[in-house]
Amino acid sequence: MTRLGQGNAGRSRKVIESFAPTAGRVLGVLTMAIGALILGDVVVEWRTWNGLATAGIVVAVCTLIWLSLVRPSVVAYEDELVLRNILSDVHIPWHLVRSARIAPVLAIATEDASYRSAAVSVTGADRRAMRRSQRNAVESAQVGRPQSPGEADLGSRSPADYTTHRIETLAAQYAEKSKDKAQVVRTWRRVEFAIVGAAVLVTTVAALLG
């Protein structure tokens, strides 16, 4: 069962590990930096209704970029795994985690449901590792030598394999520390939604008055 709530937003906790795409974040940060420069120009040089409308558009776009490219990640704490998605965060106590897989995005299975995060997905490195593993298996079969478990693991190891293995390892390691949490909690990104709504409202009003 998933419960709506505030999660642990107000608590300062130690992050054990964080999984997130790098390329998308870099693009998002660069775009937000450009947006900040535009806002600075509006404040200094373009203090008109049209400038205010432009500022509203920039704030709305930068907030959406923050939600979609910069913020999404999968973060491991001692008491839970947090899936930071675009619209909401899902807090999963470790003792409820049954398995983790990536096909094509990360899916965390519990007894009652499966929770997904697009922050972690199959990458080019994963596909190359799969092709390398298949090639090694074919070569071993051609020479009549079975592929050893160690060789198979080395050939198939990929970022996706590492992530799922690491999550399952942490689930087993910290299960006892999370048993005070009875269920999965979902928290919505209300602050960002409010910023986007306010920016759209400001843009509309400024455009009408400009």
Side-chain angles (χ1 to χ4, degrees):
M1 178 184 296
T2 304
R3 181 171 64 86
L4 300 181
Q6 296 301 317
N8 298 283
R11 295 170 52 188
S12 176
R13 297 171 296 159
K14 179 181 178 182
V15 174
I16 300 173
E17 194 159 352
S18 180
F19 309 93
T22 302
R25 274 189 164 181
V26 172
L27 176 61
V29 169
L30 289 175
T31 305
M32 291 180 67
I34 295 172
L37 292 176
I38 295 174
L39 290 176
D41 183 66
V42 169
V43 172
V44 175
E45 301 289 347
W46 199 7
R47 286 174 288 185
T48 64
W49 287 116
N50 289 335
L52 183 59
T54 300
I57 294 173
V58 171
V59 169
V61 170
C62 285
T63 304
L64 293 174
I65 289 173
W66 160 261
L67 284 171
S68 60
L69 293 180
V70 180
R71 191 179 183 280
S73 60
V74 177
V75 184
Y77 297 94
E78 287 190 349
D79 56 347
E80 65 183 3
L81 181 69
V82 180
L83 308 182
R84 293 179 176 173
N85 295 322
I86 297 175
L87 301 180
S88 66
D89 294 350
V90 180
H91 302 256
I92 309 175
W94 287 116
H95 71 278
L96 298 180
V97 175
R98 294 293 174 264
S99 65
R101 65 187 182 91
I102 300 179
V105 300
L106 177 66
I108 305 297
T110 66
E111 288 185 352
D112 301 323
S114 179
Y115 302 93
R116 297 180 179 275
S117 172
V120 179
S121 61
V122 174
T123 65
D126 296 312
R127 287 187 283 270
R128 288 191 296 272
M130 293 174 61
R131 289 194 295 268
R132 185 167 60 250
S133 177
Q134 294 171 352
R135 185 170 59 251
N136 291 341
V138 170
E139 291 175 353
S140 297
Q142 288 175 345
V143 299
R145 179 178 61 84
Q147 191 176 20
S148 68
E151 290 174 328
D153 182 70
L154 181 62
S156 63
R157 182 62 65 180
S158 65
D161 291 330
Y162 171 81
T163 299
T164 54
H165 175 74
R166 183 63 175 154
I167 289 174
E168 291 175 348
T169 299
L170 291 173
Q173 181 178 353
Y174 291 100
E176 289 297 325
K177 293 186 177 182
S178 70
K179 288 191 174 178
D180 60 324
K181 299 175 181 293
Q183 57 189 329
V184 176
V185 176
R186 184 186 297 274
T187 57
W188 298 98
R189 303 309 309 163
R190 295 185 177 90
V191 174
E192 287 88 345
F193 295 160
I195 292 174
V196 172
V200 171
L201 178 61
V202 168
T203 299
T204 302
V205 172
L208 292 174
L209 296 176

